[in-house]
Amino acid sequence: DPAPVVHITPSSPGWGKGVYSAGDHPGFDITVEDPVNNNSYSGLKTITYTIKNGTTGAVETGTLANIGRNEHRQSWKGHINIDPSKFYSNDVQVVVEASDWSTNEAVSETAKLKVDNKAPVVTFAFDKSDAKNTKYYKNNKTLTITVDERNFDTTYIPKVTSTAGGGYSFSGWSTSGEKTTGVITFSGDSDYTVTYDCYDLAGNKSNTENLEEFTVDKTIPTISVSYDNDSARNGSYYKASRTATITINEHNFNAGDVKVTTTASDGRAPGVGGWSGSGDRHTATVEFDSDADYTLDISYVDMAGNNAADYDQDRFTVDLTKPELKITGIQDKSANKGTVEPVISVSDTNYIASGVTLSLKGANRGKVDTSNMISRTNAENGQIITFRNFGPDMDDIYTLTAKSVDKAGNETVQSITFS
């Protein structure tokens, strides 16, 4: 009389990836037959099972059927349920044994399956200690994603948003034991967010982790200044007002971080106007519109802590005032028979001696060389030029013209005629 034949058929996991969740009610369908031989069989007697947890060593045994001799059962069908909490393992082993009333015994092949009743646990590790202004970084950043999961599904990858459309890379997954890690490196200038969740191979869903928006900005801001008036005399003197336009190129701009420093010799240092921007280009103006010696200096640190290159301080003078020039000692359109000693006084904040010129023309004599006729005396911010007395040998009708041009190019001319 042949021994019984045992068939074990596992139920299908609902997620379809070979691992059973608790919701799948993992188990096996059992079919046992006592073969017919010469039109007879002895009948099934006992059917038992053993479940082993190959991970923890837990064992469960039980009897599926005790069949009386008088029942003379030739076949039996049943089911084994596996407790997921007891057999959380990728090495669940099931063996079924059967005997008939002729003392024949049969042992099934060991059936194996994976049972996972635990959801993946996701954690993020992101160093914020070097953040500027809460969320700005001037260096590469990394996010380490760790998933605590025995049956990790590598098809789930992080969801990254980047305003620049890229600038990051993902290392892929690396598994050690029941922990899987992946690293995202953010190396390009952009605003980023990251979201990650997953399902394991049994269909258990993880928690969702989010990395709130942050910014990588490794670009150094640039500062430039242009003026509407570049007509300088004597190096840095201007006879018209100047407007400076400051331009800062920076993506993550904050006007409050720009330091514009001005000084004025008259104590009325001008301030910077409001900032306006288009894209990464931001501008503001400073008006230098009164007589003074000025300096302009600018520094800027962006939101991520990047320092703009040191700006070379501008130094210049605005001089809108013409020199003061007076001719005294003789009246215009006067006829003189006595002492004739014209005196020319020149004064200007930005006086320059070489800017003072004289011209003396006689109606009959023409141009007169005055070099031996005058004496010069220094005065505050200027000079005094005194003619020696015109002698009897210098009878004529004269035109005396004095001109003073200061360092900025402002010009004053005075002219008198006398005889």
Side-chain angles (χ1 to χ4, degrees):
D1 185 18
V5 177
V6 181
H7 296 283
I8 301 178
T9 304
S11 56
S12 297
W15 196 247
K17 294 189 177 182
V19 182
Y20 295 79
S21 71
D24 291 331
H25 305 293
F28 292 87
D29 291 326
I30 310 299
T31 301
V32 183
E33 293 188 355
D34 193 16
V36 176
N37 184 33
N38 294 325
N39 294 319
S40 67
Y41 58 89
S42 61
L44 297 174
K45 179 181 179 183
T46 304
I47 303 170
T48 61
Y49 71 91
T50 301
I51 305 174
K52 292 182 180 180
N53 187 331
T55 303
T56 65
V59 176
E60 177 183 312
T61 59
T63 299
L64 295 172
N66 280 316
I67 304 171
R69 178 189 289 269
N70 59 344
E71 292 186 42
H72 201 224
R73 291 279 298 273
Q74 193 261 332
S75 64
W76 179 91
K77 291 183 178 180
H79 185 82
I80 300 174
N81 290 315
I82 296 174
D83 182 357
S85 63
K86 187 176 181 180
F87 294 97
Y88 166 65
S89 172
N90 280 352
D91 187 21
V92 180
Q93 305 170 18
V94 177
V95 175
V96 175
E97 299 181 33
S99 63
D100 61 17
W101 283 97
S102 295
T103 69
N104 295 306
E105 294 183 351
V107 179
S108 70
E109 293 184 355
T110 301
K112 295 184 179 182
L113 54 75
K114 299 178 180 180
V115 177
D116 187 345
N117 66 332
K118 295 183 180 181
V121 177
V122 178
T123 55
F124 280 4
F126 185 81
D127 181 13
K128 297 182 179 181
S129 64
D130 56 341
K132 298 291 184 182
N133 294 293
T134 306
K135 67 167 192 171
Y136 295 88
Y137 302 87
K138 66 177 182 179
N139 47 271
N140 291 354
K141 295 299 293 180
T142 58
L143 169 66
T144 300
I145 303 173
T146 300
V147 185
D148 189 354
E149 170 56 46
R150 174 175 290 170
N151 297 292
F152 181 71
D153 189 342
T154 59
T155 61
Y156 291 91
I157 59 174
K159 303 176 185 69
V160 182
T161 67
S162 168
T163 55
Y168 64 94
S169 60
F170 179 54
S171 65
W173 297 111
S174 175
T175 300
S176 177
E178 295 189 9
K179 290 189 182 295
T180 298
T181 58
V183 178
I184 305 174
T185 300
F186 306 92
S187 57
D189 285 17
S190 189
D191 305 319
Y192 299 100
T193 65
V194 183
T195 298
Y196 183 74
D197 54 32
C198 64
Y199 290 85
D200 64 17
L201 294 174
N204 299 302
K205 188 179 187 305
S206 75
N207 58 302
T208 300
E209 284 292 288
N210 295 291
L211 182 59
E212 61 191 10
E213 185 179 80
F214 68 96
T215 299
V216 172
D217 180 356
K218 301 191 294 183
T219 302
I220 304 299
T222 62
I223 299 172
S224 61
V225 178
S226 62
Y227 291 89
D228 65 339
N229 173 15
D230 288 319
S231 299
R233 294 283 294 268
N234 294 293
S236 61
Y237 291 84
Y238 299 83
K239 67 177 183 178
S241 62
R242 302 188 84 195
T243 299
T245 299
I246 304 169
T247 300
I248 296 179
N249 281 295
E250 167 58 37
H251 183 69
N252 298 295
F253 180 75
N254 179 27
D257 292 330
V258 183
K259 294 182 179 179
V260 178
T261 304
T262 62
T263 65
S265 57
D266 64 357
R268 297 182 296 174
V272 63
W275 288 91
S276 62
S278 176
D280 293 350
R281 187 174 183 270
H282 310 274
T283 60
T285 57
V286 182
E287 301 287 343
F288 302 92
D289 55 7
S290 61
D291 287 14
D293 300 324
Y294 293 103
T295 66
L296 170 65
D297 204 359
I298 309 159
S299 63
Y300 178 64
V301 181
D302 69 16
M303 298 284 283
N306 297 297
N307 281 278
D310 185 54
Y311 183 78
D312 290 334
Q313 186 184 72
D314 292 337
R315 291 178 174 272
F316 59 91
T317 299
V318 172
D319 182 353
L320 310 177
T321 305
K322 292 183 177 182
E324 292 184 7
L325 191 154
K326 295 179 181 179
I327 300 176
T328 58
I330 194 166
Q331 296 294 319
D332 185 28
K333 296 181 176 59
S334 64
N336 303 273
K337 65 178 181 179
T339 301
V340 178
E341 295 179 344
V343 177
I344 301 165
S345 301
V346 178
S347 176
D348 190 89
T349 301
N350 297 299
Y351 160 81
I352 181 171
S354 61
V356 179
T357 57
L358 301 177
S359 171
L360 181 66
K361 291 183 180 180
N364 297 316
R365 296 171 183 268
K367 184 176 181 180
V368 178
D369 181 4
T370 62
S371 58
N372 294 320
M373 298 176 62
I374 61 174
S375 62
R376 298 176 185 264
T377 304
N378 290 331
E380 185 178 0
N381 294 327
Q383 64 173 287
I384 298 174
I385 303 170
T386 304
F387 277 81
R388 66 174 173 80
N389 185 35
F390 284 54
D393 58 340
M394 294 191 66
D395 288 3
D396 207 338
I397 300 173
Y398 293 98
T399 298
L400 174 61
T401 301
K403 181 170 73 172
S404 177
V405 181
D406 64 17
K407 291 179 180 179
N410 297 299
E411 180 179 302
T412 300
V413 179
Q414 293 288 337
S415 183
I416 64 171
T417 301
F418 61 91
S419 64

